[in-house]
Amino acid sequence: MGKKVYNFGAGPAMLPVSVMERIRDEFLDFQGMGVSVIEISHRSKEFQNILVEAQNLFRELTGVPDNYKILFVHGGARMQFSALPLNLAGRVPSRKCLYFETGNFASLAVKDAKPFGDIRVVASSADTNFDRIPDYDPADIEQDAAYLHITSNNTVFGTQWQQFPESGQVPLIADQTSEILSRVIDYSKFGCIYAGLQKNLGPSGMAMVVIREDLLGHAGEQTPLLLNYAVYDKDNSLTNTTNTFAIYVVKLVLDWLKAQGGVAVIEKLNRQKAARLYEVIDRSDFYKGFVQTRDRSIMNVTFNLQTPELEAKFLQEASAENLYALKGHRAVGGIRASIYNPMPMEGVEALASFMEEFQRKNG
Amino acid sequence: MGKKVYNFGAGPAMLPVSVMERIRDEFLDFQGMGVSVIEISHRSKEFQNILVEAQNLFRELTGVPDNYKILFVHGGARMQFSALPLNLAGRVPSRKCLYFETGNFASLAVKDAKPFGDIRVVASSADTNFDRIPDYDPADIEQDAAYLHITSNNTVFGTQWQQFPESGQVPLIADQTSEILSRVIDYSKFGCIYAGLQKNLGPSGMAMVVIREDLLGHAGEQTPLLLNYAVYDKDNSLTNTTNTFAIYVVKLVLDWLKAQGGVAVIEKLNRQKAARLYEVIDRSDFYKGFVQTRDRSIMNVTFNLQTPELEAKFLQEASAENLYALKGHRAVGGIRASIYNPMPMEGVEALASFMEEFQRKNG
């Protein structure tokens, strides 16, 4: 196959090589049972151990306080766009819910929530195609709202909240899908964070929800059973047959992250990885970063070249060098390099070197 | 490890050995891409091919007519207990929905549906702990109902509908979770069938829904986006990031079933497997079948021994012989052997021989 493949896909994304090798090696025989981990009951003691270990590791790695519950829920992050107002709008008589609109998924979170509350947008950067995190007036964060929702990292556009909004008494909720565990976060500032698994946590198809316990129990009767977080909490995420494979992989990814030194260590590496790419982009006008400098993401690096033709050539030659899945989202065009936790510095270095070489030949 | 392990678990259940070996062998490098199938985008052409091939294979193997849509949906079968009334109750002004209550999951289907329609039980076998499919008066299938729901095979108790109810103009819906693809079914008699994947189809965490196209589009505004079947249909099950691993495994399982000769061939084998076990049970009073003979399942064989002590001894010695996961559900006790499509005749023969030997020693 020649050169090693580096996968810059936005998600489902690459997982740590050592995790992937371990899954393969024990795929037919889990812990000497003679059956696969995907063939055992979600109620077996072996699987329950996996689940509890994953929850404990997450708590240990993040410092999530004891009064927060860690849930594994069906449907990925998008299902939570409906579940959040169904669970939380009922906290206040007005059912008022506040949102920052900072990208594609932030907009969908607003849209999907509409049937279930009085959904209001505090601030939006739609007017400049989401090239920034918008400024806002703190007075617009109305203190009688059920919650304030942000998308802490915007995968499609490559922006990231550097400093989170002060929401006062209103519980702050973050969709952390494309940045969970990538930087140190004070979870006690949030009422709830959630993330689809398929970027920093594991395979696609489910989500983690970390929620302060006083926010449970506000769902109305019209909430479908498996969208009710209190139900997941009561049954420790095993109300029905869960996605056992996904939770097993999450447990291995958390083991791996711990072995790397934890979140603070990986954050430092993530900042170095992003800085290497932004440095190439900023060196000249050949590459043009898509978003405002102050709001740049350390997870998704987006940029354009001078012409669509040059971008097509870039993608074709990168692919020939085994730099995989660099095409930008259709809403942005250009190039997007997703460099989640599992992407090693060598992968980023391979891309940066390719970018420099491509510029030399075409600049 | 000594003797081969045979896994009689009710689900997540064993998958065909050749499928498991193939997943392992290509786990790090899918189709020469240098990345895993779980690391590629759900929107990549490689994954889209998997999805479409799985749908085409299912149609080919079952003869599902062209006016039925094949959807892969989040949350397993249980999520559909809420989704069904949300999608279908609105077909009729009364929102009346009819159910047969034939076991644990049938009861949960009734319970979860209640917030979303006028949910009525046509007939129940709860009075005899679900040891039979109940008789019913055809006049009780009211023709102004939105649908009639059955659980075609009852995993926990081991009963199965041998002949489906005549529902007239009312669309018949079947939860086929624990029997899909195990016997030839005339899909045109049903408005909708659905199944969690984790028994005859693949790993746990999602479900397949096969639905007649005229039944789409009746969901109200209060339906969460990812519980709306019309949304899945419009986006060919890719509204959001799906469980790519599960769909990949389903595709391999369908390939395997086709190579076995298809549904009619596997049905014949399934009947032989079940007959072998029921014959041992019926030979004496040492083993006592849990359910009425006429309603016996060919997927889940349930039986008791004379005393709980003897049952415990049976389970312990079976386990020592690598006959795994035979313990009955807590609602029934005793022994349950789940013998889904992937269980080979050799596994059933190993269990039957063990049962005969155990009876000789303890009878």
Side-chain angles (χ1 to χ4, degrees), chain A residues 232-303:
Chain A
Y232 284 91
D233 177 44
K234 181 173 68 64
D235 299 327
N236 198 21
S237 300
L238 294 177
T239 304
N240 75 327
T241 313
T242 190
N243 182 339
T244 56
F245 177 70
I247 295 172
Y248 157 72
V249 179
V250 169
K251 193 264 174 190
L252 296 182
V253 169
L254 295 174
D255 278 336
W256 169 85
L257 182 54
K258 185 176 173 181
Q260 303 306 300
V263 178
V265 172
I266 208 94
E267 174 176 356
K268 191 173 166 199
L269 181 62
N270 286 333
R271 293 196 183 282
Q272 289 168 348
K273 283 152 54 183
R276 178 72 176 96
L277 296 179
Y278 286 125
E279 193 270 326
V280 176
I281 291 168
D282 289 341
R283 202 180 291 160
S284 74
D285 290 336
F286 186 75
Y287 298 110
K288 299 197 292 195
F290 180 75
V291 302
Q292 295 196 12
T293 309
R294 61 159 202 199
D295 297 327
R296 280 173 166 174
S297 166
I298 59 169
M299 293 281 100
N300 309 95
V301 175
T302 54
F303 58 93

Coordinates of all heavy atoms in Angstrom, one line a residue, chain A residues 232-303:
Chain A
Y232 N -33.0 6.8 31.3 CA -31.7 6.2 31.2 C -30.9 6.2 32.5 O -30.2 5.3 32.8 CB -30.9 7.1 30.2 CG -31.2 6.9 28.7 CD1 -32.2 7.7 28.1 CD2 -30.5 5.9 28.0 CE1 -32.5 7.5 26.7 CE2 -30.8 5.7 26.6 CZ -31.8 6.5 26.0 OH -32.1 6.3 24.7
D233 N -31.1 7.3 33.3 CA -30.4 7.4 34.6 C -30.9 6.3 35.5 O -30.1 5.6 36.1 CB -30.7 8.7 35.2 CG -30.0 8.8 36.6 OD1 -28.9 8.4 36.7 OD2 -30.7 9.3 37.5
K234 N -32.2 6.1 35.6 CA -32.8 5.1 36.5 C -32.2 3.7 36.1 O -31.9 2.9 37.0 CB -34.3 5.1 36.4 CG -35.0 4.1 37.2 CD -36.5 4.3 37.2 CE -37.2 4.0 35.9 NZ -37.1 2.5 35.5
D235 N -32.1 3.4 34.9 CA -31.7 2.1 34.4 C -30.2 2.0 34.1 O -29.7 1.0 33.4 CB -32.5 1.7 33.2 CG -34.0 1.6 33.5 OD1 -34.3 1.2 34.6 OD2 -34.8 1.9 32.6
N236 N -29.4 3.0 34.5 CA -28.0 3.1 34.1 C -27.8 2.8 32.6 O -26.9 1.9 32.2 CB -27.1 2.2 35.0 CG -25.6 2.7 34.9 OD1 -25.3 3.8 34.5 ND2 -24.7 1.8 35.2
S237 N -28.5 3.4 31.7 CA -28.4 3.4 30.3 C -28.8 2.0 29.7 O -28.5 1.7 28.5 CB -27.0 3.8 29.8 OG -26.7 5.1 30.2
L238 N -29.4 1.1 30.5 CA -29.8 -0.2 30.0 C -31.3 -0.4 30.0 O -31.7 -1.5 30.4 CB -29.0 -1.3 30.8 CG -27.5 -1.3 30.6 CD1 -26.8 -2.3 31.5 CD2 -27.1 -1.5 29.1
T239 N -32.1 0.6 29.7 CA -33.5 0.4 29.6 C -33.9 -0.6 28.6 O -34.7 -1.5 28.8 CB -34.2 1.8 29.3 OG1 -33.8 2.7 30.3 CG2 -35.7 1.6 29.3
N240 N -33.2 -0.5 27.5 CA -33.4 -1.5 26.4 C -32.0 -2.0 26.0 O -31.0 -1.6 26.6 CB -34.2 -1.0 25.2 CG -33.4 0.0 24.4 OD1 -32.5 0.7 24.9 ND2 -33.7 0.0 23.1
T241 N -31.9 -2.9 25.0 CA -30.6 -3.3 24.5 C -29.9 -2.2 23.9 O -30.3 -1.5 22.9 CB -30.8 -4.4 23.4 OG1 -31.8 -5.3 23.9 CG2 -29.5 -5.1 23.2
T242 N -28.7 -1.8 24.5 CA -28.0 -0.7 24.1 C -27.0 -1.1 22.9 O -26.9 -2.3 22.6 CB -27.2 -0.1 25.2 OG1 -26.6 1.2 24.8 CG2 -26.1 -1.0 25.7
N243 N -26.3 -0.1 22.4 CA -25.3 -0.4 21.4 C -24.0 -0.8 22.1 O -23.2 0.0 22.5 CB -25.0 0.9 20.6 CG -24.0 0.8 19.5 OD1 -23.2 -0.2 19.5 ND2 -24.0 1.7 18.6
T244 N -23.9 -2.1 22.4 CA -22.8 -2.7 23.2 C -21.5 -2.5 22.6 O -20.5 -2.2 23.3 CB -23.0 -4.2 23.5 OG1 -23.2 -4.9 22.3 CG2 -24.3 -4.4 24.4
F245 N -21.4 -2.6 21.3 CA -20.1 -2.4 20.6 C -19.6 -1.0 20.8 O -18.4 -0.8 21.1 CB -20.2 -2.7 19.1 CG -19.0 -2.5 18.3 CD1 -17.9 -3.4 18.4 CD2 -18.9 -1.4 17.4 CE1 -16.7 -3.2 17.7 CE2 -17.7 -1.3 16.7 CZ -16.6 -2.1 16.8
A246 N -20.4 0.0 20.7 CA -20.0 1.4 20.8 C -19.4 1.6 22.2 O -18.4 2.3 22.4 CB -21.1 2.3 20.5
I247 N -20.1 1.1 23.2 CA -19.7 1.4 24.6 C -18.4 0.7 24.9 O -17.5 1.2 25.5 CB -20.8 1.0 25.6 CG1 -22.0 1.9 25.4 CG2 -20.3 1.1 27.0 CD1 -23.2 1.5 26.2
Y248 N -18.2 -0.5 24.3 CA -16.9 -1.2 24.5 C -15.8 -0.4 23.8 O -14.7 -0.3 24.4 CB -17.1 -2.6 23.8 CG -15.9 -3.3 23.3 CD1 -15.0 -3.9 24.2 CD2 -15.6 -3.4 21.9 CE1 -13.9 -4.5 23.7 CE2 -14.5 -4.1 21.5 CZ -13.6 -4.6 22.3 OH -12.5 -5.3 21.9
V249 N -16.0 0.1 22.7 CA -15.0 0.9 22.0 C -14.7 2.2 22.8 O -13.5 2.5 23.0 CB -15.3 1.2 20.5 CG1 -14.2 2.1 19.9 CG2 -15.6 0.0 19.7
V250 N -15.7 2.8 23.3 CA -15.5 4.0 24.1 C -14.6 3.7 25.3 O -13.6 4.4 25.6 CB -16.8 4.6 24.7 CG1 -16.6 5.7 25.7 CG2 -17.6 5.2 23.5
K251 N -14.8 2.6 25.9 CA -14.0 2.2 27.1 C -12.6 2.0 26.7 O -11.6 2.5 27.4 CB -14.6 0.9 27.7 CG -14.0 0.5 29.0 CD -12.9 -0.5 28.9 CE -12.3 -0.7 30.3 NZ -11.0 -1.5 30.1
L252 N -12.3 1.4 25.5 CA -10.9 1.3 25.1 C -10.3 2.6 24.7 O -9.1 2.8 25.0 CB -10.9 0.3 23.9 CG -11.3 -1.1 24.1 CD1 -11.1 -1.9 22.8 CD2 -10.5 -1.8 25.2
V253 N -11.1 3.5 24.1 CA -10.6 4.9 23.8 C -10.2 5.6 25.0 O -9.2 6.3 25.1 CB -11.6 5.6 22.9 CG1 -11.2 7.1 22.8 CG2 -11.7 5.0 21.5
L254 N -11.0 5.5 26.1 CA -10.7 6.2 27.3 C -9.5 5.6 28.0 O -8.7 6.3 28.6 CB -11.9 6.1 28.3 CG -13.2 6.8 27.8 CD1 -14.4 6.6 28.7 CD2 -13.0 8.3 27.6
D255 N -9.3 4.3 27.9 CA -8.1 3.6 28.4 C -6.9 4.2 27.7 O -5.9 4.6 28.3 CB -8.1 2.1 28.1 CG -8.9 1.3 29.1 OD1 -9.0 1.7 30.3 OD2 -9.3 0.2 28.7
W256 N -7.0 4.4 26.4 CA -5.9 4.9 25.6 C -5.6 6.4 26.0 O -4.5 6.7 26.1 CB -6.3 4.9 24.1 CG -5.5 5.6 23.2 CD1 -4.3 5.2 22.6 CD2 -5.6 7.0 22.7 NE1 -3.8 6.2 21.8 CE2 -4.6 7.3 21.9 CE3 -6.6 7.9 22.9 CZ2 -4.4 8.5 21.2 CZ3 -6.5 9.2 22.3 CH2 -5.4 9.5 21.5
L257 N -6.7 7.2 26.2 CA -6.5 8.6 26.5 C -5.8 8.7 27.9 O -4.9 9.5 28.1 CB -7.8 9.3 26.6 CG -7.8 10.8 26.9 CD1 -6.8 11.5 25.9 CD2 -9.2 11.4 26.8
K258 N -6.2 7.8 28.8 CA -5.5 7.8 30.1 C -4.0 7.5 30.0 O -3.1 8.1 30.6 CB -6.2 6.8 31.0 CG -5.7 6.8 32.5 CD -6.5 5.9 33.4 CE -5.8 5.8 34.7 NZ -6.5 4.9 35.6
A259 N -3.7 6.5 29.1 CA -2.3 6.1 28.9 C -1.5 7.2 28.2 O -0.3 7.3 28.4 CB -2.3 4.8 28.1
Q260 N -2.2 8.1 27.4 CA -1.5 9.2 26.8 C -1.2 10.3 27.8 O -0.4 11.2 27.5 CB -2.4 9.9 25.7 CG -2.9 9.0 24.6 CD -1.7 8.2 23.9 OE1 -0.8 8.9 23.4 NE2 -1.7 6.9 24.0
G261 N -1.8 10.2 29.0 CA -1.5 11.2 30.0 C -2.7 12.0 30.4 O -2.6 12.9 31.3
G262 N -3.8 11.8 29.7 CA -5.1 12.5 30.1 C -5.4 13.7 29.3 O -4.7 14.0 28.2
V263 N -6.4 14.4 29.7 CA -6.9 15.5 28.8 C -6.0 16.7 28.7 O -5.8 17.2 27.6 CB -8.3 16.0 29.4 CG1 -8.9 17.1 28.5 CG2 -9.3 14.8 29.4
A264 N -5.3 17.1 29.8 CA -4.4 18.2 29.7 C -3.2 17.9 28.8 O -2.8 18.8 28.0 CB -3.9 18.6 31.1
V265 N -2.8 16.7 28.8 CA -1.6 16.4 27.9 C -2.1 16.4 26.4 O -1.4 16.9 25.5 CB -1.1 15.0 28.3 CG1 -0.1 14.5 27.3 CG2 -0.4 15.1 29.7
I266 N -3.3 15.8 26.2 CA -3.8 15.7 24.8 C -4.1 17.1 24.3 O -4.0 17.4 23.1 CB -5.0 14.7 24.7 CG1 -5.0 14.1 23.2 CG2 -6.3 15.4 24.9 CD1 -4.3 12.9 23.1
E267 N -4.6 18.0 25.2 CA -4.9 19.4 24.8 C -3.7 20.1 24.3 O -3.7 20.7 23.3 CB -5.5 20.2 26.0 CG -5.7 21.6 25.6 CD -6.4 22.5 26.7 OE1 -6.8 21.9 27.7 OE2 -6.5 23.7 26.5
K268 N -2.6 19.9 25.0 CA -1.3 20.5 24.6 C -0.9 20.0 23.2 O -0.5 20.8 22.3 CB -0.2 20.2 25.6 CG 1.1 21.0 25.5 CD 2.0 20.7 26.6 CE 3.4 21.2 26.2 NZ 4.5 20.6 27.1
L269 N -1.0 18.7 23.0 CA -0.7 18.1 21.7 C -1.6 18.6 20.6 O -1.2 19.0 19.5 CB -0.7 16.6 21.8 CG -0.4 15.8 20.5 CD1 1.0 16.1 20.1 CD2 -0.6 14.3 20.7
N270 N -2.9 18.7 21.0 CA -3.9 19.2 20.0 C -3.6 20.7 19.6 O -3.7 21.0 18.4 CB -5.3 19.1 20.6 CG -5.9 17.7 20.6 OD1 -5.5 16.9 19.8 ND2 -6.8 17.4 21.6
R271 N -3.2 21.5 20.6 CA -2.8 22.9 20.2 C -1.6 22.9 19.3 O -1.5 23.8 18.4 CB -2.6 23.7 21.5 CG -3.9 23.8 22.3 CD -3.9 24.9 23.3 NE -5.2 24.9 24.1 CZ -6.4 25.5 23.6 NH1 -6.4 26.1 22.4 NH2 -7.5 25.4 24.3
Q272 N -0.6 22.0 19.6 CA 0.5 22.0 18.7 C 0.2 21.6 17.3 O 0.7 22.1 16.3 CB 1.6 21.0 19.3 CG 2.3 21.5 20.6 CD 3.1 20.5 21.3 OE1 3.0 19.3 21.0 NE2 3.9 20.9 22.3
K273 N -0.7 20.6 17.2 CA -1.1 20.1 15.9 C -1.8 21.2 15.1 O -1.5 21.4 13.9 CB -2.1 18.9 16.1 CG -1.4 17.6 16.4 CD -2.3 16.6 17.2 CE -3.7 16.3 16.6 NZ -4.5 15.5 17.5
A274 N -2.8 21.9 15.8 CA -3.5 22.9 15.1 C -2.5 24.1 14.7 O -2.6 24.6 13.6 CB -4.6 23.4 15.9
A275 N -1.6 24.4 15.6 CA -0.7 25.5 15.3 C 0.2 25.3 14.1 O 0.4 26.2 13.3 CB 0.2 25.8 16.6
R276 N 0.6 24.0 14.0 CA 1.4 23.6 12.8 C 0.7 23.9 11.5 O 1.3 24.5 10.5 CB 1.8 22.2 12.9 CG 2.6 21.6 11.8 CD 4.0 22.1 11.8 NE 4.9 21.5 10.8 CZ 5.1 22.1 9.6 NH1 4.6 23.3 9.3 NH2 5.9 21.5 8.7
L277 N -0.6 23.6 11.4 CA -1.3 23.8 10.2 C -1.7 25.3 10.0 O -1.5 25.8 8.9 CB -2.6 23.0 10.2 CG -2.4 21.5 10.2 CD1 -3.8 20.8 10.2 CD2 -1.6 21.0 9.0
Y278 N -2.1 26.0 11.1 CA -2.4 27.4 10.9 C -1.2 28.2 10.5 O -1.3 29.2 9.8 CB -3.1 27.9 12.2 CG -4.5 27.5 12.4 CD1 -4.9 26.8 13.6 CD2 -5.5 27.7 11.4 CE1 -6.2 26.3 13.8 CE2 -6.8 27.2 11.6 CZ -7.2 26.6 12.8 OH -8.4 26.1 12.9
E279 N 0.0 27.8 11.0 CA 1.2 28.5 10.7 C 1.5 28.4 9.2 O 1.9 29.4 8.5 CB 2.4 27.9 11.5 CG 3.6 28.7 11.5 CD 4.6 28.3 10.4 OE1 4.6 27.1 10.0 OE2 5.3 29.2 9.9
V280 N 1.3 27.2 8.6 CA 1.4 27.1 7.1 C 0.4 28.0 6.4 O 0.7 28.7 5.4 CB 1.2 25.7 6.7 CG1 1.3 25.6 5.1 CG2 2.3 24.8 7.3
I281 N -0.8 28.0 6.9 CA -1.9 28.8 6.3 C -1.5 30.3 6.4 O -1.7 31.1 5.4 CB -3.2 28.6 7.0 CG1 -3.7 27.1 6.6 CG2 -4.3 29.6 6.6 CD1 -4.9 26.6 7.5
D282 N -1.0 30.8 7.5 CA -0.8 32.2 7.7 C 0.5 32.7 7.1 O 0.7 34.0 7.0 CB -0.8 32.5 9.2 CG -2.1 32.3 9.9 OD1 -3.1 32.4 9.1 OD2 -2.2 32.2 11.1
R283 N 1.3 31.8 6.6 CA 2.6 32.2 6.1 C 2.5 33.1 4.8 O 3.4 33.9 4.5 CB 3.5 31.0 5.9 CG 5.0 31.2 5.9 CD 5.7 29.9 5.6 NE 5.6 29.0 6.7 CZ 5.8 27.6 6.6 NH1 6.1 27.1 5.4 NH2 5.6 26.9 7.6
S284 N 1.5 32.9 4.1 CA 1.3 33.6 2.8 C -0.1 33.7 2.5 O -1.0 33.3 3.2 CB 2.1 32.9 1.7 OG 1.3 31.7 1.3
D285 N -0.4 34.2 1.3 CA -1.8 34.3 0.8 C -2.2 33.1 0.0 O -3.3 33.0 -0.5 CB -2.0 35.6 0.0 CG -2.0 36.8 0.8 OD1 -2.3 36.7 2.0 OD2 -1.7 37.9 0.3
F286 N -1.3 32.1 -0.1 CA -1.6 30.9 -1.0 C -2.8 30.2 -0.4 O -3.7 29.7 -1.1 CB -0.4 30.1 -1.1 CG -0.5 28.9 -2.0 CD1 -0.5 29.1 -3.4 CD2 -0.7 27.6 -1.5 CE1 -0.7 28.0 -4.3 CE2 -0.9 26.5 -2.4 CZ -0.9 26.8 -3.8
Y287 N -2.7 29.9 1.0 CA -3.8 29.3 1.7 C -4.6 30.4 2.4 O -3.9 31.3 3.0 CB -3.3 28.3 2.6 CG -2.6 27.1 2.0 CD1 -1.2 26.9 2.1 CD2 -3.3 26.2 1.2 CE1 -0.6 25.9 1.5 CE2 -2.7 25.1 0.6 CZ -1.3 25.0 0.8 OH -0.7 23.9 0.2
K288 N -5.9 30.3 2.5 CA -6.7 31.3 3.2 C -7.6 30.7 4.2 O -8.5 29.9 3.8 CB -7.5 32.1 2.2 CG -6.7 32.9 1.2 CD -7.4 34.0 0.5 CE -8.5 33.4 -0.4 NZ -9.0 34.4 -1.4
G289 N -7.3 30.9 5.5 CA -8.2 30.3 6.5 C -9.6 30.8 6.3 O -9.9 32.0 6.0
F290 N -10.5 29.9 6.6 CA -11.9 30.2 6.3 C -12.5 31.1 7.4 O -13.4 31.9 7.1 CB -12.8 28.9 6.2 CG -14.2 29.2 5.9 CD1 -14.6 29.6 4.6 CD2 -15.2 29.0 6.9 CE1 -16.0 29.9 4.4 CE2 -16.5 29.3 6.7 CZ -16.9 29.7 5.4
V291 N -12.1 31.0 8.6 CA -12.7 31.6 9.7 C -11.9 32.7 10.4 O -10.7 32.8 10.1 CB -13.2 30.6 10.8 CG1 -14.1 29.6 10.3 CG2 -12.0 30.0 11.6
Q292 N -12.5 33.5 11.2 CA -11.8 34.6 11.9 C -10.7 34.0 12.8 O -11.0 33.0 13.6 CB -12.7 35.5 12.6 CG -13.6 36.3 11.6 CD -14.3 37.4 12.3 OE1 -14.0 37.8 13.4 NE2 -15.3 38.0 11.5
T293 N -9.6 34.6 12.9 CA -8.4 34.0 13.6 C -8.7 33.7 15.1 O -8.4 32.6 15.6 CB -7.2 34.9 13.5 OG1 -7.0 35.3 12.1 CG2 -6.0 34.3 14.0
R294 N -9.4 34.6 15.7 CA -9.6 34.5 17.2 C -10.5 33.3 17.5 O -10.5 32.8 18.6 CB -10.3 35.8 17.8 CG -11.6 36.1 17.1 CD -12.6 37.0 17.9 NE -13.9 36.7 17.5 CZ -14.9 37.5 17.6 NH1 -14.8 38.7 18.3 NH2 -16.1 37.2 17.2
D295 N -11.3 32.8 16.5 CA -12.3 31.8 16.8 C -11.9 30.4 16.2 O -12.7 29.5 16.1 CB -13.7 32.2 16.3 CG -14.2 33.4 16.9 OD1 -13.9 33.6 18.1 OD2 -14.9 34.2 16.3
R296 N -10.7 30.3 15.8 CA -10.2 29.1 15.1 C -10.3 27.9 16.0 O -9.9 27.9 17.2 CB -8.8 29.3 14.7 CG -8.6 30.0 13.4 CD -7.1 30.3 13.1 NE -6.9 30.7 11.8 CZ -5.8 31.1 11.3 NH1 -4.7 31.1 12.1 NH2 -5.7 31.5 10.0
S297 N -10.8 26.8 15.4 CA -10.9 25.5 16.1 C -9.6 24.8 16.1 O -8.8 24.8 15.2 CB -11.9 24.6 15.4 OG -11.9 23.3 15.8
I298 N -9.3 24.1 17.2 CA -8.1 23.2 17.2 C -8.5 21.8 16.8 O -7.7 20.9 16.8 CB -7.5 23.1 18.6 CG1 -8.4 22.6 19.7 CG2 -6.9 24.5 19.0 CD1 -7.8 22.3 21.0
M299 N -9.7 21.5 16.4 CA -10.2 20.2 16.0 C -10.4 20.1 14.5 O -10.1 19.1 13.8 CB -11.5 19.8 16.7 CG -11.4 19.6 18.2 SD -10.7 18.0 18.6 CE -9.0 18.4 19.0
N300 N -11.0 21.2 13.9 CA -11.3 21.2 12.4 C -10.6 22.5 11.8 O -11.1 23.6 12.1 CB -12.8 21.2 12.2 CG -13.5 20.1 13.0 OD1 -14.0 20.4 14.1 ND2 -13.5 18.9 12.4
V301 N -9.6 22.2 11.0 CA -8.9 23.3 10.3 C -9.4 23.5 8.9 O -9.3 22.6 8.1 CB -7.4 23.1 10.4 CG1 -6.7 24.2 9.6 CG2 -6.9 22.9 11.8
T302 N -10.1 24.7 8.6 CA -10.7 24.9 7.3 C -10.0 25.9 6.6 O -9.6 27.0 7.1 CB -12.2 25.3 7.5 OG1 -12.2 26.4 8.3 CG2 -13.0 24.2 8.1
F303 N -9.7 25.7 5.3 CA -9.1 26.8 4.5 C -9.4 26.6 3.0 O -9.9 25.5 2.6 CB -7.6 26.8 4.7 CG -6.9 25.5 4.4 CD1 -6.3 25.2 3.1 CD2 -6.8 24.5 5.4 CE1 -5.7 24.0 2.9 CE2 -6.1 23.3 5.1 CZ -5.6 23.0 3.9

